[in-house]
Amino acid sequence: MAHLPEFNITFKQFADTVIERSARGIGFLIVKDSTASDAVTEINKNTFLKIKSKFTAENQKAIEDVLDTGIYKLFVVRMFADDTTLTKTLDLIKKTYSSGRITIVDGLAADFKALATWAKTQDNYHVLTYKTEKSDSIYVENFQTEKVVFKDDRGEQVGIKFLPTLLGILCTCNIERSSTYFKCNNLIYAEPVGADDNAVNTVIGKGNIVL
């Protein structure tokens, strides 16, 4: 009985901070970039200004897209050139942090398939893929939107270009802020996946994400 008040206080402290803690998502952005040799780099808005030259212009933009969402913690991981199955790259991620969300900048279909296959064997990682087959896994979040239009000079792009932003969004949402009806501030248009709500619901019902 003597320990009961202490337990109640501890429980209340965890309950009071659950909303804040639930938004502290960890993101991993895999890039194909040989500009520098750093395998894994933790990046925030302040440090990025100092090291952005270590990445290609395309990857710089992708990193900026993630950071603009206000993500709690972002790790940029360079994909090993000979790592066709992502085995070495994903092992490196597991050594860096024990959980998080992962996606690939301009990944190929084979890359996303390998990422989805790996995620099904994990318990602490969610992966964000683009137009992969039905995953049958709560750990695979498959994005299906075909076309987006950015507000900046990128203009119209294929949907895969939105993956970095979507990674950040999903990492910042919590039990109080859902990704449903989330306003994507860097876009002016997203192509509908079908002619009506029924088409959208069909795609979502198969475990996909659309804008």
Side-chain angles (χ1 to χ4, degrees):
M1 294 295 293
H3 292 288
L4 196 56
E6 180 181 348
F7 172 81
N8 286 338
I9 291 171
T10 303
F11 180 82
K12 184 177 186 303
Q13 288 174 337
F14 275 100
D16 287 345
T17 60
V18 66
I19 295 175
E20 178 186 355
R21 289 184 287 111
S22 65
R24 292 179 178 175
I26 311 300
F28 291 93
L29 189 67
I30 298 175
V31 299
K32 300 177 180 181
D33 197 319
S34 59
T35 309
S37 58
D38 319 50
V40 181
T41 309
E42 183 178 348
I43 295 177
N44 58 48
K45 283 199 170 186
N46 292 328
T47 59
F48 182 55
L49 295 175
K50 301 174 184 177
I51 63 172
K52 64 187 303 183
S53 61
K54 292 184 176 184
F55 300 93
T56 64
E58 190 77 13
N59 287 328
Q60 286 179 27
K61 182 60 71 174
I63 294 168
E64 288 172 353
D65 283 345
V66 185
L67 294 176
D68 284 345
T69 65
I71 190 171
Y72 174 68
K73 193 182 290 288
L74 173 65
F75 294 96
V76 178
V77 184
R78 296 181 197 272
M79 183 174 170
F80 292 91
D82 61 345
D83 193 15
T84 55
T85 62
L86 289 177
T87 302
K88 290 190 284 188
T89 305
L90 293 170
D91 281 347
L92 188 57
I93 287 176
K94 291 186 71 172
K95 292 175 182 177
T96 302
Y97 215 88
S98 60
S99 63
R101 270 190 168 84
I102 307 167
T103 197
I104 308 171
V105 177
D106 292 332
L108 302 176
D111 298 330
F112 289 123
K113 183 177 181 180
L115 190 59
T117 300
W118 175 84
K120 295 176 186 178
T121 68
Q122 308 299 311
D123 293 325
N124 297 325
Y125 298 91
H126 286 77
V127 301
L128 183 56
T129 61
Y130 185 66
K131 299 184 76 67
T132 55
E133 297 177 1
K134 186 177 179 181
S135 65
D136 295 321
S137 172
I138 62 171
Y139 299 107
V140 180
E141 298 157 329
N142 184 39
F143 187 49
Q144 286 280 358
T145 296
E146 292 270 2
K147 184 189 303 179
V148 297
V149 180
F150 287 93
K151 286 183 179 178
D152 60 24
D153 58 6
R154 284 176 289 182
E156 183 179 308
Q157 298 285 338
V158 292
I160 195 173
K161 296 294 185 179
F162 190 69
L163 283 185
T165 300
L166 189 55
L167 174 70
I169 289 172
L170 295 176
C171 284
T172 56
C173 289
N174 58 22
I175 61 173
E176 196 176 54
R177 183 192 193 191
S178 169
S179 58
T180 304
Y181 303 117
F182 192 101
K183 185 176 181 180
C184 304
N185 291 318
N186 61 345
L187 295 182
I188 58 175
Y189 175 79
E191 185 176 72
V193 295
D196 51 34
D197 289 344
N198 289 332
V200 174
N201 291 334
T202 298
V203 175
I204 295 175
K206 293 180 181 179
N208 298 304
I209 297 176
V210 297
L211 298 181

